[in-house]
Amino acid sequence: MFHVILVAPEIPPNTGNVIRLCANAGARLHLVEPLGFDLSAAQLRRAGMDYVDLAMVTVHADWAACRAMLKAEGAGRLFALTIKGTRPYARSGVSNATSPDFSPDDAFVFGSESSGLPANVLADIAPENRLRLPMMPSNRCLNLSNTVAIVVYEAWRQNGFAGGA
């Protein structure tokens, strides 16, 4: 099962959408505090809390606690999704061998909507595992929940949509 980690998410509907996505893709969601909202907030509920019973969500006090749990549970490689990434998240063609082949126990780490990943989190992730999504030059980054969806579904696709119907 993939792990999706949101570090200090700020916008309730984004997190709600990611909860719904993780429930539907069979991924486990880790939320690293501080959170920019209350998990019981009405905005979050409208965006995906109706899926909270179907999702596996864990809240961690900080990055160190999240890392410790991932290690204890035998999670695989950590991949950071960042505009500072040097590798594409997916192949653009059969000749592009620079993007990773994802394994079912890999973990994908995403930063907050306003500031991305903190330096201490990025430092824990190997440079070759810092991935980026292609975008048009001079544009701001994609919405957090859209980015999570793109990456999780690519990883799941690479693994034959295991467990899906």
Side-chain angles (χ1 to χ4, degrees), residues 72-101:
E73 293 184 355
R77 300 167 296 174
L78 287 176
F79 289 96
L81 277 293
T82 172
I83 60 171
K84 299 171 186 167
T86 56
R87 290 177 73 189
Y89 80 101
R91 289 178 179 79
S92 59
V94 290
S95 64
N96 183 355
T98 62
S99 60
D101 290 324

Side-chain angles (χ1 to χ4, degrees), residues 22-35:
C22 287
N24 281 297
R28 182 161 184 186
L29 177 60
H30 302 266
L31 301 175
V32 178
E33 293 180 328
L35 306 181

Side-chain angles (χ1 to χ4, degrees), residues 114-127:
S114 66
S115 58
L117 285 168
N120 69 310
V121 173
L122 213 47
D124 279 350
I125 300 171

